[in-house]
């Protein structure tokens, strides 16, 4: 059995092709037909499909697929800065760099490999990066697809600098939803959040779930490691598990902002929702030689699987 899994992982389940810009992209497939595709431009997951071929991540019809522009959709990696809360470009530079496939990564736990198709990517600091962020790092990303179609991302960032450095981080996850007004998020109730629409003022969530009637742009703080995005029309729930990522960003631009953005359709806000595992309020600080790990797992369950069961079933990593 173990041998057959290894054959599936290494020989059948991974395909490397080139996109229309000549940039490599890697497609992973599960035995049941689920798939994910990751571009070496930005190390960005650009597709995640279930075993029926339905796309689970949102990508705008107006997305610009040409460097140096980051693509609007999928799961961009925000490093070493989230948003515009520093001296770097919006969301940092990792999402605008060409990554390489890492053929010999440092080992991960056996459970991060067994029964999964995966690819390891690597981004190293460059001379160009030093001009705006003078720190030496290695950023390793493993993207894996489990036999049941669950999508896993593991980021390992190591300081190979001679001095400490700090960074913020997010998996900027664009989920594809049926209708934003029919979606709710469970697991963030009673938490404090920073509201980016009110100069990052701090509030406390009052609702028993988060629902959407207008633009939302918030950073929820000290969040649980399991949250759920319930889509009533699809009758399914995206379960988000995370580790090393204390914050959760929730964003939907709504109508007015969508019309002002060139790379998103006027009405596309109805079909998208960003829910990011992140480390923003308290940046990560690494001493020389130290490594940080941030994990994200996305899975789909029927919406009848209520939130009380979610925490019990998915507790721990």
């Amino acid at each position: 059995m173990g041998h057959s899994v290894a054959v599936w992982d290494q020989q059948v389940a991974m395909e490397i092709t080139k996109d229309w810009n000549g940039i490599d992209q890697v497609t992973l497939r599960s035995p049941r037909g689920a798939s994910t595709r990751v571009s070496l431009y930005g190390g960005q997951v650009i597709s995640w499909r279930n075993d029926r071929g339905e796309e689970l991540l949102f990508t705008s019809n107006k997305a610009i697929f040409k460097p140096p522009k980051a693509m609007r959709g999928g799961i961009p990696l925000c490093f070493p800065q989230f948003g515009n809360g520093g001296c770097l470009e919006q969301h940092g530079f990792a999402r605008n760099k060409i990554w390489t496939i890492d053929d010999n990564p440092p080992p991960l736990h056996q459970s991060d490999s067994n029964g999964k198709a995966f690819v390891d990517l690597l981004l190293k600091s460059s001379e160009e990066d030093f001009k705006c962020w003078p720190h030496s790092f290695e950023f390793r990303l493993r993207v894996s697809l489990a036999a049941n179609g669950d999508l896993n991302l593991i980021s390992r960032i190591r300081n190979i600098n001679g001095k400490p450095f700090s960074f913020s981080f997010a998996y900027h996850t664009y989920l594809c939803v049926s209708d934003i007004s029919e979606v709710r998020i469970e697991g963030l109730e009673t938490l404090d959040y920073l509201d980016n629409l009110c100069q990052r003022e701090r509030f406390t969530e009052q609702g028993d779930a988060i629902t959407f009637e207008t633009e939302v742009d918030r950073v929820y703080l000290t969040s649980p490691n399991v949250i759920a995005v319930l889509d009533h029309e699809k009758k399914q729930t995206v379960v988000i598990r995370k580790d090393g990522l204390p914050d959760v960003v929730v964003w939907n631009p709504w109508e007015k902002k969508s019309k002002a953005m060139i790379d998103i359709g006027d009405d596309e806000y109805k079909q998208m929702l960003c829910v990011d595992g992140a480390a923003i309020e308290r940046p990560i600080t690494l001493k020389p030689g130290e490594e940080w790990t941030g994990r994200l797992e996305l899975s789909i369950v029927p919406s009848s699987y209520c939130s009380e069961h979610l925490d019990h079933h998915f507790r721990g990593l």
Side-chain angles (χ1 to χ4, degrees):
M1 180 67 183
H3 177 70
S4 66
V5 168
V7 170
W8 164 54
D9 280 354
Q10 297 169 15
Q11 297 178 14
V12 178
M14 189 173 93
E15 178 187 10
I16 301 175
T17 56
K18 290 190 182 295
D19 68 12
W20 40 90
N21 294 306
I23 298 170
D24 284 349
Q25 52 185 11
V26 179
T27 300
L28 305 174
R29 293 186 178 86
S30 80
R32 300 177 191 172
S35 67
T36 189
R37 193 163 75 253
V38 56
S39 172
L40 268 61
Y41 181 62
Q44 183 169 342
V45 174
I46 55 177
S47 175
W48 174 39
R49 293 179 181 270
N50 62 20
D51 54 13
R52 297 185 300 279
E54 297 166 341
E55 182 59 62
L56 303 169
L57 298 177
F58 169 85
T59 298
S60 172
N61 290 324
K62 289 190 172 182
I64 298 168
F65 297 96
K66 191 170 181 62
K69 179 72 176 175
M71 191 193 80
R72 176 76 63 189
I75 309 178
L77 300 170
C78 302
F79 170 85
Q81 174 183 300
F82 178 81
N84 54 12
C87 60
L88 300 176
E89 61 190 285
Q90 171 94 350
H91 294 325
F93 50 71
R95 65 186 188 142
N96 294 319
K97 300 292 183 182
I98 298 291
W99 294 52
T100 59
I101 293 177
D102 190 0
D103 292 320
N104 190 28
L108 281 162
H109 192 274
Q110 194 172 8
S111 64
D112 293 318
S113 305
N114 286 354
K116 296 175 181 175
F118 61 86
V119 63
D120 289 287
L121 303 183
L122 174 64
L123 179 69
K124 292 185 176 183
S125 46
S126 68
E127 291 297 325
E128 183 183 352
D129 300 334
F130 283 130
K131 297 174 185 175
C132 58
W133 201 68
H135 305 293
S136 296
F137 67 89
E138 291 179 343
F139 186 156
R140 285 182 162 84
L141 172 71
R142 172 168 290 189
V143 179
S144 63
L145 189 69
N148 64 1
D150 290 359
L151 178 63
N152 295 265
L153 291 87
I154 303 172
S155 290
R156 292 182 287 174
I157 297 170
R158 179 175 293 275
N159 182 350
I160 56 173
N161 213 37
K163 58 184 179 181
F165 64 69
S166 299
F167 62 90
S168 54
F169 179 91
Y171 291 110
H172 195 25
T173 307
Y174 286 78
L175 298 175
C176 185
V177 301
S178 56
D179 184 336
I180 188 62
S181 62
E182 295 293 320
V183 172
R184 76 176 192 268
I185 303 174
E186 294 186 355
L188 302 177
E189 49 275 7
T190 75
L191 297 186
D192 284 1
Y193 64 87
L194 306 178
D195 194 331
N196 288 320
L197 303 179
C198 298
Q199 290 75 50
R200 293 175 65 84
E201 190 175 344
R202 193 178 186 118
F203 298 93
T204 300
E205 179 59 52
Q206 302 296 326
D208 58 2
I210 299 169
T211 56
F212 299 89
E213 298 173 345
T214 186
E215 181 183 357
V216 173
D217 189 354
R218 300 172 181 171
V219 181
Y220 285 85
L221 310 173
T222 318
S223 62
N225 279 345
V226 182
I227 60 174
V229 182
L230 289 81
D231 190 324
H232 299 293
E233 192 170 313
K234 289 186 176 182
K235 296 183 172 61
Q236 72 181 23
T237 296
V238 180
V239 181
I240 300 172
R241 301 172 67 210
K242 58 189 181 64
D243 188 59
L245 302 161
D247 304 323
V248 171
V249 178
V250 177
W251 179 63
N252 183 285
W254 217 253
E255 187 175 13
K256 184 178 179 181
K257 184 162 285 184
S258 293
K259 288 181 177 178
M261 298 165 68
I262 62 169
D263 58 350
I264 191 168
D266 290 356
D267 294 322
E268 284 188 323
Y269 71 92
K270 296 176 182 177
Q271 274 72 56
M272 63 147 285
L273 174 62
C274 284
V275 184
D276 310 356
I280 297 171
E281 186 192 26
R282 296 182 180 87
I284 307 297
T285 298
L286 294 180
K287 297 174 184 175
E290 279 190 332
E291 183 176 272
W292 169 84
T293 300
R295 297 168 180 259
L296 182 75
E297 178 183 293
L298 302 177
S299 56
I300 304 293
V301 299
S303 284
S304 56
Y305 205 85
C306 67
S307 57
E308 287 79 9
H309 294 134
L310 292 174
D311 187 53
H312 173 74
H313 188 71
F314 292 99
R315 191 177 304 146
L317 280 151

